[in-house]
Amino acid sequence: MSEISKAYEPQSVEDKWYRFWLDRKCFVADPARVSSKRPAYAIVIPPPNVTGVLTMGHVLNNTIQDLLARKARMDGKEVLWLPGTDHAGIATQTVVEKALKKSGEIRHRDDLGREKFLERVWQWKEKHGGIIIQQLKKLGASCDWTRERFTMDPDYSRCVQKVFVELYKKGLIYRGKRMVNWCPATQTALSDEEVIMKEQKGSLYYFKVEVVDSRAHGSSGRESAQTPAVENQSRLTSAATEETEKKTFGPITDAEGRIWLTIATTRPETIPGDTAVAVNPKDPRYAKFIGKHVIRPLPAEFPREQKLIPIIGDERVDFEFGTGVLKVTPAHDKADFEIGQRHKLEQIDIMHPNGHMNALAGAALNGLDRFKARKVAVELLTELGALEKEDPYTNNVGFSERADVPIEPRLSEQWFLKYPCTEKARNCVEQEDDAVGRASSRAGSSVASPHQKMQFHPQRWAKVYDHWMGNIQDWCISRQLWWGHRIPVWTFKVSSDIGVVAMDAIKESVAKIEKANYPGKYSLTTKMQGDIFVVATDDPEIQASSEKLGFIQDPDVLDTWFSSWLWPFATMGWTGDKTEDPNNPTLQAFYPTADLVTGPDIIFFWVARMIMAGYEFMNDLPFRNVYFTGIIRDKQGRKMSKSLGNSPDPLDLIGKYGADALRFGTMRSAPLGQDILFDEQNVELGRNFCNKLWNACRFRQMVGGGDASSPNRASGDEGVATTFEVQGEIDPKLLTSDDKWILLKLDQAIREMDTAFAEYKFSDATATLYRFFWSEYCDWYVEASKAVLVKSVTELNKSNEQGPTEGNATHLTNRSFNELPDRRANALAVIDFVLSHTLRLFHPFLPFITEELWHGMGYSQDMPENQGGKTIMTAPWPKPFDDDFKSHYGLTGDDDKHIEARNELVSQGRNLRRTANIAANKKVKFIFNPAREWAAHDIEVLKLLLNAECVELGAAHQPAKGTLTVRTELGDLYLPTEGLIDLEAEKARLTKEFQKIEADVAKVEQKLANPNFTQKVPANVLEEHKQRLTDLLAKREHVKITLAALQS
RNA sequence: GCGCGGUUAGCUCAGUGGUAGAGCACUACAUUGACACUGUAGGGGUCACAGGUUCGAACCCUGUAUCGCGCACCA
């Protein structure tokens, strides 16, 4: 800081210190250093997509993690913030596929084939994979980069495989043909969590089907047509749409005596896949038809016998909805599938995997995509005369989260996981009710809180979590993709002699390896399923030998989250082997981790699954606290997205304002549990704040050392020269009221910061820092300190001579003058004390500028090497002042109250200046009649703060006409105006003030007149009110007199 | 339908029963030796609405409106 620039310039500073931290290994966690005196603190990063770029969401998330990590280091903990990236199966594969298509290289990934395509994805990963990591470094993230992990690192992959095999062995993983969420765009199955419901405007189509008695005879349904109970209701037509008609649906008998049922559907294109029609058996309109058949209208060209489908009774049918008749399409609807299971219905799959209709859908629909097919189906029904009407209809449709197309329920064979440890996982998270229960039980007995529970912040997410855990469904873990962890299962169809030979060979090979080194490192299980021999293992040797013998690996890969759910321990070198883990110092030291910081949108995807995995594989929860951030929205409240183009590039913001500014601005606008409306102005505010901090330190440097005339010291520290002298001990005897006040404010700020961190309220923390540093330290303390630091000795001397003309302050004045050099040194010592503490309080939020100033101001030189001497990162976090400290420096609440009142007096005095239209830079004379004795120094400060030419002490000053006055608890302040004021404006102002006081007086008087109030209210509140009334009355009197004086 | 959260100054939000707050924006003044990325002063609010509890409600209770989110879904 030899050349102190007027404004803070972050760019060069930030790169310099980040390199410094890396070079000195400041982020590296060493399990060997962990001890009872030096506890471990760990966070694992929510791994961003390896090929992604930094978003504002990442900024929010990672700034919070960095705050926690940096704070923990300053608390003396051994900190591991473990970084890494996620392979992000679908996202990455889609991106690469698109790029290859765009370049014209391929039309489909099949053009390359699996192996070649994967090569290209790896290339892509190598090329783009590091970007987000570099961006995190720009943000200042203090991750232990030596431990950076990727979910497809070889050893990580082995963990995934091992976990799969273990769960498969246990029977928790199984293969089954089920209804799954199929994404026709990416052509893979998805988990329920990857489906998001969206409201869609569409139509509800009503079409009729003819009821027939038996399969044998086509045209005659006559007998049933005569069924007496059938009421021939007046048909709804598209013209008539009365509310009451909803209830009038029922079978119709036409002129020829044929009976028809009307069915409502949103998906007429699936009619060719219908294999039944269902009614509620309790529905009097339809129950009698159960057992009969209807003729399915589509495909039109199919022979009638093929289209006879039964009418079944199923309680699931809601007779309020639609017509009360449900078409059942077991192959294309989840609910219908279940009905189909109950009634053993045929399943007709009428679609290709890409969402186009196949031949079973009929000639007219074959080859069309689903939505086109819907239109054509409606046309066909119209032509057949089967369509009765079409109502506009809005319903919720599941969309593929990634591809943003409607998912297609589809019957397919997939791998599923029955979640482990659900009970433990569900119960470990503290619910809001628990806190009440625990508090009372603790009060009731001496039950030591036994098992530490996991806390969610904000806690309301615990309820969401609990609800999900209570309704948990098996997890579809297989994906029909190429990029990911391939399922570690090999099969061989035993249909020939070769098969038998192979079986023997593999058995032999297995036996050999088992003997050699099992159990331990690897997992293995084999089994026969029908004529299929299945090998599931993470042992590369067995995998290889199986393939040599003609075994074929399952083509699917695992859901990305099936690897991320292991993140908290797989990143710490977990091998999946419990006997080996005690020898893993990282896991020993850092698992379970302390905090997890993530978005509530992945509470099911990731958080819940990590908790279950933690219990299953580590027998302990993976983290103690989960902090859920809000979602970053734009100024208008819209979610930030690429397509809207409303997401600023954080790197641009860093370039423009600095990383510290971005961090501070983001934290300041991100209250716990609330969504954040992002506004660049917040970042601007952060920059301004950094500049303020910079200039406050610059001021400290400019006023030099304790002796105003002493030559500045220049000493080197990392090539940075200090140009002033850090002051040593504070002398309690020389402290002014302002000194004591700012020390008390610092103490308060430290306490507030501790509370804010304990409660994860980072916006509160920034608000505290902002208030303390800007409003209290800069606006008041620094200004007051100029009385000794800036004014020259001669000037002070002069003003003292002509200053207090009479009375009590003279004695103090002389003393003040005599000890001036000491007092100057002492003021500097207070400033250095406050600044060195403040920089530490700021450091988690503003790592770069605080490090720069820590060294530049020379504060690092006062500290031991490992406690701030090297870097502010390890400087001890400030502690609230204890009683000894306070009594040593004589800090009491009185100083606090006095200075608050003095500040109020100054504000009112400045207001008088304003009233008198006196320019801010013009020095004028004030007269002050203090209620109690004032030290000369304090009068000097008052003069400075009022920008007064002088403050005359007038014991019983009789104001002349045109003198403005204010009455405060510290005394009366007068400003002679010599007729400079606008009388009318002043009268108006005072009248308004008078009215306001009147209103307040009335309010308080009313309260105090109420016996209910005076009797029931706590004593201190009563006292407050009485005091308040007294003050108000005095004030009112004063304004009244002043006003009267103006009138004359 | 069920659950959760919000509604306080023009904007974004603090505020757990006792005088309604901050930042930004706005108005006026100021280029004074830290800082115009600044300073000083000022204007601005029926705390969504309606009831209730209380001596006293932005705050607690009940209901309503409205916005947002999550879960479950009726084809």
Side-chain angles (χ1 to χ4, degrees), chain A residues 388-676:
Chain A
E388 303 221 311
K389 67 165 180 170
E390 174 183 342
D391 282 349
Y393 186 68
T394 303
N395 67 339
N396 287 326
V397 177
F399 274 65
S400 157
E401 194 202 23
R402 284 281 162 202
D404 199 35
V405 298
I407 60 117
E408 194 57 48
R410 184 164 187 261
L411 200 56
S412 87
E413 192 154 2
Q414 303 286 345
W415 291 92
F416 294 90
L417 168 67
K418 191 172 158 48
Y419 287 103
C421 298
T422 48
E423 276 310 300
K424 270 188 198 166
R426 186 180 183 186
N427 295 329
C428 76
V429 173
E430 179 136 326
Q431 297 287 327
E432 264 158 282
D433 305 338
D434 294 356
V436 178
R438 223 192 29 218
S440 62
S441 77
R442 194 182 284 159
S445 70
S446 60
V447 180
S449 165
H451 185 67
Q452 197 186 352
K453 285 194 143 190
M454 188 186 297
Q455 294 281 349
F456 279 10
H457 309 269
Q459 199 171 33
R460 61 189 155 84
W461 292 110
K463 200 165 182 175
V464 177
Y465 171 82
D466 184 67
H467 185 253
W468 188 78
M469 288 301 294
N471 296 281
I472 201 164
Q473 304 286 318
D474 290 358
W475 176 12
C476 175
I477 53 173
S478 46
R479 297 288 178 275
Q480 287 65 55
L481 302 171
W482 288 347
W483 176 243
H485 298 97
R486 196 157 166 187
I487 289 173
V489 171
W490 283 257
T491 53
F492 194 102
K493 190 156 196 240
V494 187
S495 52
S496 67
D497 291 346
I498 298 164
V500 176
V501 170
M503 223 162 82
D504 289 344
I506 190 72
K507 276 178 181 164
E508 202 177 300
S509 155
V510 165
K512 213 165 83 189
I513 298 163
E514 269 180 336
K515 234 186 218 168
N517 214 2
Y518 275 85
K521 228 173 162 188
Y522 300 111
S523 288
L524 168 76
T525 181
T526 58
K527 96 173 143 182
M528 279 305 295
Q529 279 183 339
D531 61 348
I532 308 238
F533 188 41
V534 182
V535 174
T537 182
D538 61 317
D539 186 330
E541 266 189 68
I542 299 182
Q543 292 175 353
S545 57
S546 302
E547 279 185 8
K548 248 183 246 159
L549 292 163
F551 278 67
I552 294 167
Q553 186 173 9
D554 192 296
D556 290 350
V557 299
L558 289 161
D559 183 2
T560 299
W561 301 101
F562 192 88
S563 59
S564 353
W565 77 325
L566 311 175
W567 187 250
F569 45 89
T571 50
M572 292 193 192
W574 181 70
T575 58
D577 177 5
K578 282 177 183 158
T579 61
E580 200 182 305
D581 286 341
N583 300 323
N584 177 331
T586 302
L587 270 179
Q588 282 296 301
F590 295 109
Y591 190 94
T593 66
D595 297 321
L596 178 78
V597 181
T598 191
D601 48 335
I602 52 174
I603 187 167
F604 311 136
F605 278 113
W606 197 43
V607 179
R609 287 164 180 167
M610 277 193 289
I611 295 171
M612 290 184 273
Y615 276 116
E616 173 70 11
F617 302 110
M618 300 297 293
N619 200 29
D620 201 352
L621 37 76
F623 24 75
R624 302 289 182 203
N625 293 285
V626 184
Y627 177 98
F628 289 106
T629 65
I631 292 168
I632 299 235
R633 299 172 180 282
D634 71 4
K635 243 169 135 178
Q636 284 94 48
R638 299 173 305 180
K639 222 170 175 170
M640 284 196 171
S641 73
K642 268 188 192 158
S643 53
L644 277 174
N646 57 351
S647 179
D649 181 348
L651 270 289
D652 288 348
L653 294 171
I654 289 174
K656 200 167 161 194
Y657 300 104
D660 287 333
L662 178 60
R663 293 164 62 111
F664 195 82
T666 307
M667 285 302 96
R668 194 164 183 286
S669 57
L672 173 63
Q674 298 275 346
D675 283 0
I676 295 112

Side-chain angles (χ1 to χ4, degrees), chain A residues 54 188 215 281 423 449 474 624 716 774 789 798 888 965 993 1003:
Chain A
L54 203 69
T188 177
R215 289 169 173 274
E423 276 310 300
S449 165
D474 290 358
R624 302 289 182 203
W774 200 308
L789 297 180
K798 205 172 105 194
H888 181 247
T965 74
E993 194 181 340
K1003 244 197 253 173

Side-chain angles (χ1 to χ4, degrees), chain A residues 150-447:
Chain A
F150 174 52
T151 50
M152 278 172 64
D153 284 341
D155 49 346
Y156 198 109
S157 292
R158 242 212 47 235
C159 287
V160 173
Q161 293 191 351
K162 174 143 189 158
V163 159
F164 183 97
V165 177
E166 286 298 320
L167 293 171
Y168 179 68
K169 263 193 204 169
K170 279 192 173 183
L172 294 175
I173 286 178
Y174 60 90
R175 194 162 164 77
K177 195 166 187 184
R178 292 263 194 95
M179 234 25 207
V180 296
N181 306 300
W182 183 261
C183 172
T186 49
Q187 299 196 39
T188 177
L190 300 174
S191 66
D192 294 343
E193 288 68 39
E194 286 162 287
V195 177
I196 45 174
M197 302 306 281
K198 284 194 189 178
E199 214 169 65
Q200 288 295 298
K201 281 185 182 155
S203 297
L204 191 58
Y205 303 93
Y206 294 78
F207 68 99
K208 59 179 181 181
V209 291
E210 187 185 352
V211 179
V212 293
D213 242 346
S214 77
R215 289 169 173 274
H217 300 96
S219 57
S220 86
R222 298 267 156 103
E223 307 113 284
S224 65
Q226 259 76 43
T227 311
V230 177
E231 281 176 56
N232 194 354
Q233 304 285 357
S234 84
R235 277 306 307 161
L236 71 152
T237 63
S238 41
T241 52
E242 294 303 316
E243 186 61 25
T244 50
E245 277 186 343
K246 286 213 158 159
K247 310 238 184 317
T248 66
F249 280 111
I252 330 150
T253 307
D254 65 14
E256 296 166 40
R258 292 189 294 184
I259 303 180
W260 300 83
L261 297 180
T262 306
I263 301 174
T265 182
T266 54
R267 300 201 62 189
E269 75 278 15
T270 63
I271 291 173
D274 292 351
T275 53
V277 160
V279 298
N280 194 304
K282 290 181 187 147
D283 189 332
R285 295 172 297 179
Y286 302 117
K288 56 190 142 322
F289 296 118
I290 295 170
K292 296 182 193 292
H293 288 74
V294 299
I295 304 161
R296 198 180 68 207
L298 298 175
E301 74 275 18
F302 277 27
R304 184 187 169 95
E305 309 83 64
Q306 267 187 38
K307 297 191 286 186
L308 279 177
I309 54 175
I311 299 172
I312 58 173
D314 197 287
E315 305 248 336
R316 160 124 201 164
V317 180
D318 176 359
F319 41 98
E320 298 280 315
F321 187 87
T323 62
V325 186
L326 171 68
K327 75 192 234 347
V328 182
T329 327
H332 294 282
D333 183 280
K334 214 172 175 182
D336 290 4
F337 173 76
E338 283 159 20
I339 295 174
Q341 295 284 86
R342 283 197 283 277
H343 298 270
K344 304 204 162 47
L345 297 177
E346 191 190 347
Q347 298 156 347
I348 309 176
D349 188 342
I350 57 167
M351 257 182 247
H352 293 297
N354 66 357
H356 287 57
M357 313 304 286
N358 64 24
L360 293 174
L365 301 182
N366 190 11
L368 300 178
D369 86 27
R370 328 173 249 174
F371 307 107
K372 178 81 177 130
R374 183 170 306 165
K375 285 188 190 134
V376 174
V378 172
E379 283 164 19
L380 293 175
L381 289 174
T382 312
E383 279 168 27
L384 292 169
L387 190 75
E388 303 221 311
K389 67 165 180 170
E390 174 183 342
D391 282 349
Y393 186 68
T394 303
N395 67 339
N396 287 326
V397 177
F399 274 65
S400 157
E401 194 202 23
R402 284 281 162 202
D404 199 35
V405 298
I407 60 117
E408 194 57 48
R410 184 164 187 261
L411 200 56
S412 87
E413 192 154 2
Q414 303 286 345
W415 291 92
F416 294 90
L417 168 67
K418 191 172 158 48
Y419 287 103
C421 298
T422 48
E423 276 310 300
K424 270 188 198 166
R426 186 180 183 186
N427 295 329
C428 76
V429 173
E430 179 136 326
Q431 297 287 327
E432 264 158 282
D433 305 338
D434 294 356
V436 178
R438 223 192 29 218
S440 62
S441 77
R442 194 182 284 159
S445 70
S446 60
V447 180

Side-chain angles (χ1 to χ4, degrees), chain A residues 855-868:
Chain A
H855 290 264
M857 300 294 290
Y859 299 140
S860 59
Q861 293 167 26
D862 297 346
M863 311 295 274
E865 170 75 6
N866 60 349
Q867 285 185 44

